[in-house]
Amino acid sequence: GDTLDILVQTRRNAKAAKRFLARLIARFGRPRVVITDKLRSYFAPLRNLAPGADHRAHKGLNNRIEGSHRPTRKREKIMGRFKSQRQAQRFPAAHDQINAIFKPRRYRLTANSYRHARADAFSLWDDYAREMTA
């Protein structure tokens, strides 16, 4: 349920897919299941780099992935578009780490546990902010 990594590239071709998948496999190991959209350029790199993985390319399965892009798109609109590919890459890399802290999986927690998780996240953030400004 978590976003593992985001890679911003100018093209969505097999070369870009291979680069992204190789980066993920090096960091997290070989996947059991890979969910993508129906873009055909994902098929060959997945077959070569993760031969045993179950590749699911279905319209409905990709909805959670597209939903995770919503904060990025909202921020992009506020900023008046990203000015460069580098800026676009830097924002999601930092945003996903922070987002994981502040948005615990609500559906798995009771209301009381959720409140405690949010309070812990804000106290952790306060500690980081104090450390950065000191």
Side-chain angles (χ1 to χ4, degrees):
D2 294 326
T3 303
L4 299 178
D5 199 357
I6 293 177
L7 181 64
V8 177
Q9 296 195 346
T10 54
R11 299 179 186 269
R12 290 180 65 199
N13 55 16
K15 183 179 176 183
K18 182 178 178 183
R19 180 175 175 223
F20 182 62
L21 190 62
R23 187 170 145 178
L24 283 177
I25 289 174
R27 191 167 171 196
F28 298 105
R30 292 194 182 270
R32 288 181 299 115
V33 178
V34 178
I35 299 173
T36 65
D37 56 8
K38 293 183 181 181
L39 189 66
R40 300 295 295 175
S41 60
Y42 293 133
F43 286 73
L46 280 170
R47 218 178 8 243
N48 295 337
L49 295 173
D54 182 19
H55 181 208
R56 299 178 186 168
H58 186 270
K59 182 179 164 185
L61 293 174
N62 200 33
N63 286 347
R64 288 186 70 182
I65 297 166
E66 293 300 326
S68 72
H69 293 127
R70 189 176 303 127
T72 306
R73 290 190 179 124
K74 183 178 179 182
R75 182 68 180 160
E76 180 184 13
K77 189 174 183 181
I78 291 168
M79 293 173 70
R81 303 282 175 230
F82 293 117
K83 305 302 182 228
S84 67
Q85 187 174 347
R86 183 175 179 209
Q87 181 189 15
Q89 178 64 46
R90 278 192 351 227
F91 171 72
H95 181 269
D96 283 341
Q97 293 172 4
I98 294 167
N99 194 34
I101 294 170
F102 283 102
K103 299 238 177 174
R105 294 180 180 167
R106 178 68 180 100
Y107 64 94
R108 289 189 175 183
L109 301 172
T110 63
N112 199 24
S113 298
Y114 180 74
R115 283 192 285 275
H116 286 297
R118 293 280 291 179
D120 291 344
F122 279 108
S123 68
L124 182 67
W125 185 259
D126 286 339
D127 293 342
Y128 285 147
R130 235 180 274 114
E131 189 177 302
M132 296 294 279
T133 57

